[in-house]
Amino acid sequence: MLSKLAMSRVLPEASDPRTNSGKSLLGCSTFKVRDLVKSKEQQLSLNLKTLNGGKKIGNIEVSLVKMGEIENGEADQITTDVHGQKCSLVCECSSPEAISGKDNLLNTVFRNPIYKFYRFPSSDNKWICVREQMAESSMSFHIPKQLLSLYIKEDTRRIEQLKELGDLSPHWDNLRQNVLAHYEEMVSVYQESLEELEKHTGSSFKSSCSKGEKSLEFVPINLHLQRMRVHSQKLKDALYDVITIGAPAAHSQGFKNGGLRRLLSRFEAEKKNTGYQCIYYSPENTAKAKEILSSINHLQPLISSHTDLLLNSAKQHSAESLKDSLKTLSETTERFVRSFKDQLISNALLALSTARPSCANKKLTDPLSDTEDNKTDEQDNLHQITRQDSIPHLSDYDEEEWDRVWANVGKSLNCIIAMTDRLLEQGNSTRENKTECSSEDITSQQNGDWYEQLYPLIITLKDCVEEVVDRAKKSMTFVVFQELACGLPQCLQLTFRRDVVFSQALSGLTCGFIIKLHSSLHNEAFLHQLHTVGLLVQYEGLLSTYSEEVGMLEDMSIGISDLRHVAFKITEATSEDFLPLVTGRRERFMVEVKLPTKMFELLPQEIKDGKLLCVHPVFFNVGINEQQTIAERFGDTSLQESINQENVEHLEEYYRMCIEKVPSACPQLLQEQSDVKELLENLHQNTQAKKRKNVEIMWLAATICRKMNGVRFTCCKSAKDRTSMSVTLEQCQILRDEHDLHKDFFVRALDCMRSGQAQGVLNESDDPEKGCVTDNKPTSRHFYPVALLLVSSHLLVVWLILSLALLLAKYQ
């Protein structure tokens, strides 16, 4: 992996990640390239061309250095094939130039690119030319700022809705005041976070040393693009992209009580046992209530605007315009009516009526029963009110009233349709039977008739819609209110934690979507798959199931799962601003990606028409460090196993959707169908197997993702050590499997990509072929966990002596 990548991830934010050994590389046009040969050091000048369209970088100074020499102490030497006298060519540079020439889209999303160039021999003694590239992403701060604005807007609207519930009994009103106080406090925190992000200047990514900062908790850690472009005899120009990101988790809040997966499960269990303080609604019904509230906010203004257009068409006496306006109004109103066809609203209205002051002192029992039965029945009814399917019946509440109010909207629309049809028929007959009257008199009379006859019906429709909206909004707000009242303060604390994790996950997803779309604009099969099935997004996690990383894993699994509620929409840019725009609410966000006109024209018509593109995230985790060894021997790995098994099912479901919907338009996927099916079966078996550090899961999942046109993510705690080791290993495996890298050069290529890393990043340590460990591991790896050594005081003494000896040997 890029040495600059390693440096950028360990240096403080104020440092420039594009510098190395105190030498600034900004604006340089002359780079040092080491070509390791046995001859004496020579100097020559040559023209080096990049792999991107053969564009010339410029005259580059090349230093031929003896094998094994390091200039100025920099550790970026390349090993040589002693037998064939072949060498690996490396050019490392950072450039202020654009990441992709004049491509404004990528230049907006990605910044500060750093490059390395390699040359490796293939099995047929040809050269494999590799350009490795790393870039920061502006999405690290751009997406969180937009999300914070949407969170503030949504929660402010929720506060208004709670206040608009009207008069409640003292019990419910006290609960409401408590909820409002917590909501206002959370909105204040969001506003402070947004102000801090607006003030931020400097680096466009959050370094690992800042992961605990409260002011940056919504920003992902070390979000970078890692791209490898390969030119070989087998594949002339191939691109392989991986997005690297620190685990999306609430690092600043800590993991003392676990992560979201455990906390949400515990919260749901506790909410069911809250007694009769509030009414329990399932998470599904609560989500449905939020969806209905969102539909109200979206559809009511549409109906109002469409009715105004209909009246305007009637004024103009335009038959065609009248027909179009009526059709649009009918479709919108029918959607409006369907959205309220749910028993949940009727039940919630009944529950809300019991919370009114007028019902506070009324008995919820049968008046014909005796006094003793009344006491028993009252206790039973108070217990039953905790379930939405057993709310007690009130004699003064008409349960059919909602059905009548709801049906009046459809009846009003039918009256408007009938009147419009009659007016159009009269208009046709009038034109056929013209009299001696002037045309102006006829038109004036008809205009008055059309408008005057439609206006009362339009007003009636608006009144009916307003009444439905008022009742539905209050009832659904009451349902949402129950979840808040039952779980304060845990409910809003979990919402806040989930928002933090989701913000980090969405920032990375947006980055991955844009780079995948940009690199696949000429791939018709991918574009068809995109709008037909959706985009596959595969996350590779390297977290252990030990200590605080368990909480990170629990946060990350929920954050990635929440990405299923995200949709993308591609539009044509109308200016030079290509930054994506986020809209929507929690559990229903949409990201609008803007493309230049030339790129937009390459898209299928369905995408041009604004079809929403869904996302299918899958997440596989395999712990690989020493902490995972402890967890496997003395702890619990069931969390990792359950996550992997769940996501295998999601991946298999996506594969079935692809096979059903895209084979005719995607021959490439059809050709690889048998290969992918076999890989899926192998992956399924591996997730079921009880095998320690089963890295085969990672390789299989990554291979399936690439074959199915997916986006790859690699994550660990901070996206430094384990992430860089994984990415470099994957790149060398790609060179071996896809580009016939010479088998004798696999380890050498891996060492080459991992060389020159900054202090704090792992150096060459693992033999990917044999799994053996070299002696070049960091000294910290010799300090085994003290917990294991405390078993025996003798072992502790031996450990201290050996550690001291190793330190002395190192510094001598």
Side-chain angles (χ1 to χ4, degrees):
M1 204 171 186
L2 293 173
S3 61
K4 299 298 187 297
L5 172 58
M7 290 193 66
S8 67
R9 289 173 175 167
V10 296
L11 288 178
E13 233 178 339
S15 302
D16 190 342
R18 296 169 293 174
T19 61
N20 189 15
S21 302
K23 298 179 181 179
S24 176
L25 295 174
L26 294 176
C28 61
S29 60
T30 300
F31 312 113
K32 291 187 177 179
V33 182
R34 292 189 177 87
D35 198 351
L36 304 178
V37 295
K38 284 191 172 182
S39 59
K40 295 182 178 180
E41 185 177 26
Q42 303 174 12
Q43 295 291 332
L44 64 122
S45 180
L46 59 92
N47 290 331
L48 183 67
K49 295 183 179 180
T50 69
L51 302 175
N52 186 12
K55 295 180 181 178
K56 186 182 297 184
I57 293 180
N59 292 330
I60 298 180
E61 181 182 352
V62 179
S63 298
L64 294 177
V65 188
K66 292 182 180 179
M67 180 179 179
E69 288 186 0
I70 300 178
E71 181 175 326
N72 295 330
E74 295 179 359
D76 56 352
Q77 69 179 39
I78 307 303
T79 57
T80 305
D81 186 348
V82 179
H83 300 289
Q85 303 299 326
K86 293 180 179 178
C87 56
S88 302
L89 176 67
V90 175
C91 170
E92 181 177 349
C93 64
S94 76
S95 171
E97 296 178 359
I99 188 173
S100 185
K102 297 181 179 180
D103 193 328
N104 293 329
L105 174 63
L106 286 192
N107 296 337
T108 301
V109 178
F110 298 101
R111 299 175 180 175
N112 304 330
I114 300 174
Y115 305 92
K116 264 190 177 182
F117 297 86
Y118 307 98
R119 197 171 60 172
F120 303 117
S122 62
S123 299
D124 56 357
N125 295 321
K126 302 291 184 181
W127 283 113
I128 302 174
C129 298
V130 179
R131 184 182 77 169
E132 191 182 20
Q133 170 184 316
M134 186 276 290
E136 304 166 12
S137 176
S138 60
M139 298 298 99
S140 295
F141 287 86
H142 178 70
I143 297 297
K145 286 191 285 189
Q146 292 191 75
L147 282 177
L148 281 168
S149 299
L150 293 173
Y151 292 151
I152 293 170
K153 181 180 179 181
E154 180 180 348
D155 291 344
T156 302
R157 186 186 300 119
R158 187 78 69 231
I159 291 173
E160 295 173 355
Q161 291 170 350
L162 288 170
K163 291 179 179 179
E164 292 171 357
L165 273 178
D167 294 334
L168 298 175
S169 64
H171 167 72
W172 292 109
D173 191 55
N174 289 336
L175 289 176
R176 175 169 60 177
Q177 296 305 321
N178 195 16
V179 169
L180 288 173
H182 281 84
Y183 249 127
E184 290 169 353
E185 182 180 354
M186 192 165 73
V187 169
S188 176
V189 173
Y190 286 139
Q191 290 172 338
E192 291 176 2
S193 298
L194 180 58
E195 290 173 1
E196 290 295 327
L197 294 186
E198 294 288 358
K199 295 177 185 176
H200 177 81
T201 57
S203 176
S204 57
F205 72 96
K206 183 175 81 172
S207 60
S208 61
C209 60
S210 303
K211 65 174 173 283
E213 291 188 16
K214 187 71 176 175
S215 60
L216 299 177
E217 60 185 337
F218 288 89
V219 180
I221 303 170
N222 280 329
L223 177 59
H224 290 83
L225 164 68
Q226 181 74 23
R227 164 171 284 189
M228 182 175 70
R229 186 186 291 270
V230 184
H231 183 90
S232 64
Q233 292 295 322
K234 188 175 181 179
L235 292 173
K236 295 298 183 184
D237 193 7
L239 275 178
Y240 303 95
D241 293 328
V242 178
I243 304 298
T244 57
I245 182 175
H251 298 275
S252 62
Q253 299 179 33
F255 308 95
K256 182 178 180 180
N257 298 316
L260 279 172
R261 190 179 176 106
R262 190 191 321 172
L263 293 173
L264 288 171
S265 177
R266 187 186 305 159
F267 173 72
E268 286 301 323
E270 293 174 353
K271 194 169 66 171
K272 293 179 181 179
N273 301 320
T274 54
Y276 54 82
Q277 181 180 6
C278 57
I279 304 171
Y280 173 76
Y281 287 92
S282 66
E284 292 77 16
N285 280 333
T286 303
K288 188 185 296 182
K290 293 177 181 178
E291 182 66 28
I292 292 173
L293 287 171
S294 178
S295 298
I296 291 173
N297 295 328
H298 174 65
L299 294 176
Q300 186 185 13
L302 286 180
I303 292 176
S304 179
S305 63
H306 293 331
T307 52
D308 293 340
L309 289 175
L310 185 67
L311 288 176
N312 189 44
S313 300
K315 276 185 179 181
Q316 297 176 356
H317 200 267
S318 172
E320 290 299 324
S321 177
L322 193 66
K323 290 179 183 178
D324 294 339
S325 300
L326 180 62
K327 181 181 178 182
T328 306
L329 176 63
S330 300
E331 293 174 351
T332 306
T333 308
E334 287 172 3
R335 286 170 55 199
F336 178 83
V337 172
R338 285 197 302 270
S339 64
F340 298 117
K341 191 177 181 180
D342 198 298
Q343 187 64 28
L344 176 64
I345 298 178
S346 180
N347 289 340
L349 284 170
L350 176 57
L352 179 58
S353 67
T354 65
R356 296 298 184 190
S358 58
C359 298
N361 298 321
K362 290 186 178 180
K363 294 181 179 180
L364 305 177
T365 59
D366 186 354
L368 299 178
S369 60
D370 54 33
T371 306
E372 293 181 359
D373 292 340
N374 284 347
K375 293 180 180 179
T376 304
D377 292 343
E378 185 175 352
Q379 293 177 356
D380 293 340
N381 284 332
L382 286 175
H383 177 70
Q384 288 176 351
I385 201 172
T386 63
R387 314 294 300 186
Q388 73 263 19
D389 56 353
S390 58
I391 293 174
H393 174 73
L394 294 176
S395 58
D396 60 345
Y397 179 77
D398 186 0
E399 295 185 23
E400 296 181 357
E401 183 180 2
W402 164 251
D403 294 332
R404 290 194 295 269
V405 172
W406 171 66
N408 284 341
V409 176
K411 293 178 181 178
S412 299
L413 177 64
N414 291 334
C415 291
I416 292 174
I417 293 174
M419 176 60 70
T420 303
D421 291 340
R422 189 172 68 184
L423 291 175
L424 291 173
E425 291 177 1
Q426 291 176 355
N428 293 334
S429 61
T430 302
R431 282 191 293 271
E432 293 175 358
N433 302 311
K434 286 185 178 180
T435 62
E436 295 180 356
C437 297
S438 66
S439 59
E440 294 182 358
D441 294 337
I442 295 175
T443 302
S444 176
Q445 183 179 2
Q446 289 173 343
N447 284 348
D449 291 343
W450 282 28
Y451 181 83
E452 291 173 2
Q453 294 187 56
L454 280 175
Y455 182 77
L457 300 178
I458 293 295
I459 295 301
T460 302
L461 175 63
K462 286 186 175 182
D463 290 341
C464 291
V465 168
E466 185 66 30
E467 186 174 4
V468 168
V469 165
D470 181 66
R471 290 172 182 253
K473 183 181 289 187
K474 289 179 178 178
S475 65
M476 293 299 94
T477 300
F478 191 72
V479 172
V480 176
F481 170 51
Q482 301 309 306
E483 180 184 52
L484 300 169
C486 289
L488 282 179
Q490 292 86 354
C491 180
L492 292 182
Q493 289 174 353
L494 287 175
T495 299
F496 183 82
R497 188 183 189 101
R498 201 165 187 169
D499 289 344
V500 168
V501 176
F502 180 79
S503 174
Q504 299 176 25
L506 183 61
S507 301
L509 175 65
T510 305
C511 175
F513 180 89
I514 292 175
I515 194 66
K516 182 63 180 180
L517 178 65
H518 181 274
S519 62
S520 305
L521 281 172
H522 297 279
N523 187 341
E524 295 182 2
F526 166 77
L527 295 175
H528 182 83
Q529 179 183 346
L530 180 62
H531 74 78
T532 306
V533 183
L535 180 67
L536 176 64
V537 183
Q538 186 252 324
Y539 287 81
E540 174 184 302
L542 303 170
L543 296 171
S544 68
T545 54
Y546 179 82
S547 187
E548 66 174 11
E549 290 196 11
V550 176
M552 295 180 198
L553 187 57
E554 291 173 338
D555 273 358
M556 188 174 176
S557 64
I558 296 297
I560 292 174
S561 177
D562 286 345
L563 294 177
R564 301 179 192 280
H565 305 300
V566 176
F568 285 87
K569 182 180 180 180
I570 303 176
T571 60
E572 184 177 3
T574 56
S575 65
E576 292 299 315
D577 181 13
F578 298 105
L579 287 172
L581 177 65
V582 184
T583 57
R585 60 172 181 83
R586 292 181 181 92
E587 301 177 4
R588 190 71 65 179
F589 283 110
M590 185 189 74
V591 182
E592 179 184 343
V593 177
K594 306 171 187 177
L595 292 185
T597 302
K598 291 183 179 179
M599 294 183 182
F600 188 77
E601 291 173 352
L602 300 174
L603 299 174
Q605 191 60 44
E606 292 86 352
I607 298 180
K608 290 181 181 178
D609 292 339
K611 183 175 182 179
L612 296 182
L613 312 173
C614 58
V615 178
H616 299 270
V618 292
F619 172 40
F620 295 93
N621 187 84
V622 176
I624 60 172
N625 60 357
E626 299 95 332
Q627 289 186 335
Q628 184 63 23
T629 303
I630 300 174
E632 290 174 343
R633 292 182 179 177
F634 307 103
D636 182 20
T637 61
S638 58
L639 173 62
Q640 175 176 285
E641 292 170 2
S642 61
I643 289 175
N644 291 342
Q645 291 167 8
E646 290 169 7
N647 283 275
V648 164
E649 296 177 0
H650 295 322
L651 189 57
E652 289 174 343
E653 177 62 25
Y654 181 81
Y655 171 73
R656 284 192 291 269
M657 293 170 60
C658 285
I659 296 304
E660 292 173 1
K661 297 183 179 181
V662 271
S664 58
C666 187
Q668 179 184 359
L669 187 62
L670 188 62
Q671 293 170 3
E672 296 181 349
Q673 177 179 350
S674 59
D675 295 338
V676 174
K677 186 176 182 180
E678 183 178 349
L679 290 169
L680 276 171
E681 293 173 354
N682 196 356
L683 178 61
H684 189 276
Q685 293 173 1
N686 275 275
T687 56
Q688 299 292 332
K690 301 292 183 180
K691 183 179 178 182
R692 294 180 178 177
K693 295 187 179 180
N694 191 357
V695 294
E696 187 77 5
I697 293 175
M698 299 287 93
W699 179 84
L700 289 168
T703 304
I704 293 171
C705 177
R706 284 194 298 270
K707 286 182 176 293
M708 300 189 72
N709 300 317
V711 180
R712 286 267 299 112
F713 285 80
T714 299
C715 317
C716 66
K717 181 178 180 179
S718 301
K720 293 190 304 183
D721 305 352
R722 284 168 278 180
T723 297
S724 61
M725 301 297 280
S726 175
V727 170
T728 50
L729 176 60
E730 180 182 354
Q731 290 180 166
C732 289
Q733 287 175 333
I734 291 173
L735 293 177
R736 178 191 63 191
D737 299 337
E738 304 294 335
H739 300 276
D740 296 331
L741 175 68
H742 196 286
K743 62 180 182 179
D744 295 337
F745 272 80
F746 185 95
V747 177
R748 299 184 184 188
L750 188 63
D751 291 343
C752 176
M753 289 184 176
R754 290 177 177 176
S755 64
Q757 296 180 342
Q759 183 180 1
V761 181
L762 299 181
N763 294 316
E764 306 92 326
S765 59
D766 296 326
D767 184 339
E769 295 291 316
K770 302 178 181 179
C772 62
V773 179
T774 67
D775 296 331
N776 294 327
K777 286 188 173 182
T779 307
S780 60
R781 293 210 171 196
H782 294 286
F783 290 85
Y784 302 104
V786 177
L788 296 178
L789 297 170
L790 289 178
V791 177
S792 170
S793 59
H794 300 291
L795 287 176
L796 182 59
V797 173
V798 172
W799 171 71
L800 289 172
I801 294 173
L802 289 176
S803 299
L804 182 60
L806 287 169
L807 283 174
L808 291 174
K810 177 186 176 184
Y811 290 107
Q812 285 178 355

